Amino acid sequence: MDINLMLCQEFELKPWQIENVVKLIDDGNTIPFIARYRKEATGSLDDQVLRAVFDRLNYLRNMQEQKSKIIASIEAQDLLTDEIRQAVENASTLTELEDIYRPFRPKRKTRASVAKAKGLQGLADAVYEQNNETDPFVLAAQYLNDDVPAVEDAIAGAKDIIAELVSDDPAGRKMLRYSVKNNGSIVVNGIKDDLGVYEMYKEYSEPIKSAAGHRVLAFNRGEKEGFLKVSVDFDKTIGLSILSNLHVKNNSVSASLVSEAVEDAYTRLVFPSIEREIRNMLTDSANESAISVFAKNTRQLLMQPPVKNKVTLGLDPGYRTGCKVAVVDGTGKVLDTSVIYPVPPHNKIEEAKKIIKDLVKKHGVEVFAIGNGTASHETEVFASEVIKELDCGISYMVVSEAGASVYSASKLAAQEFPAYDVSLRSAVSIARRLQDPLAELVKIDPKAIGVGQYQHDMPQNELSQALDGVVEDCVNSVGVDLNTASAQLLNRVAGVTNAIANNIVLYRQENGPFKSRNELKKVSKLGPKAFEQCAGFLRVSESKNVLDNTAVHPESYDAANKLIKLAGVESADIKSGNIAPVNKFVETVGTCALAEKLEIGEPTLKDIINELSKPGRDPRDELPKPLLRTDVMGIEDLKVGMELKGTVRNVIDFGAFVDIGVHQDGLVHISQITNKYIKHPGDVLKVGDIVTVWVISVDVNKKRIGLTMKKPE
């Protein structure tokens, strides 16, 4: 199996691209490093394509390993033929490989193995030949013994052996699997009187080939919880016809016995196995799709624009235990904390207002961040009243607090804030989430962030791997301030292990802020390879070398400095963003000729020019700013036809949930997103988008809001 050739065909890439990517991966380079600093070698493939190639490469290598093991196993049984070897080598999926190996796999005790132990293999072979001149019943008399007292017993044992042969036939399984996938249906029935959220699946059926992933995950969960029974429906006559055409040769007496064995094989062995495979296939496909959506949503959530350099007051709402308050400065440093009781059962509104107003005046608070959990709406109403009374330009935003409780109770939070209790840590986290979502959310298991669907039903290893990859890509695309980043944020930088991250923080504590990127080489355990992988993603704004505060890699410093010198520009000009002379010089010489002169590739040259234009730039700053509010509404204030601005909080298979400022997110069904056909809501919407919506339905009791993005006529 030529793995590189298969990757070229599957990803429609050139052989040199795949060859270079595979070599870079095998040499221990990280995906972010390859995507950002080896563009010439890959043809500028982005991190998502590179991860897909990486995952597929591992799959194919695993399959190659399995093929070697299977060939060795069959060879050890002295059953390997050139035909079997060729079939194994040509297998393109693990399922196909499993079909080929099935007859040779050591089996537990079966009806066929019992019959073989009784000496009935010869009779089974003779019957399966289906010779018109052979009377199987006369022949069966020759196989009688203490274990096989009657002809009927011998015939039954022979049929059991033939049934297993039919079941193990890879050709029949492949044809039947294909037919069931394309012509079968998934059937769901309720098995309880009260099905609750599964009511729509009380009597449900749809073709397997069009079964939507979110429905598969829904009725899988319903089955697991004991509310539903799920099965595969397929025309048995078609299935029997497929197997009979392969195994029944004529109209002889033996053929009629083979036909009976085929029906037994289909009913008892083959179809139940194919049904499990189809269910697994649907589940695997649904999981893959759901993980993809989860990863996409997580990427968009992490890349939401930060509200930078604003003194922020975080509010973690609560009823009985009160609302926890934390004030942090523009860098996230905690300035003050408190607890207020403005909502039931305490209703100490005036006292709470005084505390908040005092904190605002004392620290110059510019924005409020309110957690969206219990008592959020009441706290939002309270905050809105305080803002009106202060009348000093303060705005607020309701922030998702998914995972905040997980973080605040973690060892990490205890190390970061040993003097604060769990609830106050949550208030700090909520404030910081508004200031810099990425820096704060990296401290939390991505699965706890709360975007996606059915995350607890998915294979956790695959989900974690996908989400960790997303977090790594996001952190490295934004870049990290070497002198302020936490160990958790540093740990997400390419090439930085947990030990190295802790050593970087320890080095800062012992030696003060880093003065240059080169100083990284003094950090314990950070060797040449780690430096190569991580250096370009770490920023040192305090450095005298302006390049240390850009994404220009140290390996390209000579080329960048040569460019600056040729263009006649000073470092001070670069720091101020005045690179007009550089652009003019590049335009005059041409990127191709200049890249050759500087002995670098054109993609690297373009990246250097881009970085010189905005040292320390944050790609998130170019995105639309988050929607900050100054007033509040409740769900009871909504009217059908009302036009509102909202923020997309979650994108799922059947629509998107939008925060419109009433504590309860509204659903824009996929059919209400646009007048054009779209395959998935994620084709046009992403988490964090600011959208205009119109209310089409409101159910106050069930707290359901229906929205549309189609402007009413």
Side-chain angles (χ1 to χ4, degrees), residues 82-122:
D82 290 341
E83 184 181 356
I84 293 171
R85 182 189 292 273
Q86 192 64 42
V88 171
E89 291 292 353
N90 291 339
S92 58
T93 66
L94 289 172
T95 300
E96 192 176 340
L97 205 55
E98 182 63 29
D99 281 350
I100 296 167
Y101 185 47
R102 180 179 288 273
F104 308 100
R105 181 184 292 279
K107 292 182 173 67
R108 56 180 175 78
K109 186 177 180 180
T110 64
R111 281 165 48 172
S113 66
V114 170
K116 289 175 183 178
K118 292 178 179 179
L120 296 173
Q121 181 70 61

Side-chain angles (χ1 to χ4, degrees), residues 35-255:
R36 183 65 178 80
Y37 298 113
R38 292 295 179 263
K39 291 181 178 179
E40 287 83 1
T42 69
S44 297
L45 298 179
D46 66 28
D47 49 26
Q48 295 180 63
V49 173
L50 288 169
R51 285 196 188 279
V53 172
F54 176 76
D55 290 342
R56 186 60 176 161
L57 174 66
N58 286 337
Y59 177 90
L60 293 175
R61 283 179 170 173
N62 177 50
M63 187 160 70
Q64 188 68 48
E65 188 179 332
Q66 289 298 107
K67 287 181 178 183
S68 299
K69 289 180 179 178
I70 286 172
I71 288 173
S73 174
I74 299 173
E75 195 170 30
Q77 299 173 51
D78 291 327
L79 297 171
L80 185 66
T81 64
D82 290 341
E83 184 181 356
I84 293 171
R85 182 189 292 273
Q86 192 64 42
V88 171
E89 291 292 353
N90 291 339
S92 58
T93 66
L94 289 172
T95 300
E96 192 176 340
L97 205 55
E98 182 63 29
D99 281 350
I100 296 167
Y101 185 47
R102 180 179 288 273
F104 308 100
R105 181 184 292 279
K107 292 182 173 67
R108 56 180 175 78
K109 186 177 180 180
T110 64
R111 281 165 48 172
S113 66
V114 170
K116 289 175 183 178
K118 292 178 179 179
L120 296 173
Q121 181 70 61
L123 176 61
D125 292 341
V127 171
Y128 187 72
E129 284 182 12
Q130 300 167 64
N131 191 326
N132 281 315
E133 298 175 1
T134 300
D135 186 331
F137 292 94
V138 172
L139 186 61
Q142 301 175 22
Y143 288 84
L144 301 183
N145 54 45
D146 291 343
D147 294 324
V148 188
V151 167
E152 291 78 9
D153 297 324
I155 293 295
K159 288 198 296 183
D160 285 341
I161 293 172
I162 294 170
E164 187 167 275
L165 180 149
V166 171
S167 174
D168 286 345
D169 177 33
R173 296 181 73 88
K174 185 175 182 179
M175 293 170 66
L176 184 61
R177 186 185 296 113
Y178 178 84
S179 188
V180 175
K181 281 169 62 176
N182 287 280
N183 302 297
S185 296
I186 197 83
V187 177
V188 187
N189 290 292
I191 56 177
K192 288 187 177 181
D193 293 333
D194 183 8
L195 296 178
V197 295
Y198 303 111
E199 187 63 36
M200 69 171 287
Y201 297 113
K202 185 175 184 178
E203 292 182 356
Y204 183 82
S205 175
E206 71 173 311
I208 289 169
K209 62 184 178 183
S210 61
H214 65 276
R215 289 197 292 273
V216 171
L217 294 174
F219 54 63
N220 277 359
R221 180 183 286 181
E223 182 181 47
K224 185 178 179 181
E225 292 177 355
F227 288 91
L228 306 173
K229 182 180 185 301
V230 185
S231 60
V232 171
D233 182 49
F234 180 68
D235 190 333
K236 185 176 180 179
T237 57
I238 296 176
L240 288 175
S241 175
I242 290 171
L243 298 183
S244 295
N245 288 338
L246 290 171
H247 298 283
V248 180
K249 301 176 182 177
N250 50 44
N251 293 319
S252 65
V253 176
S254 292

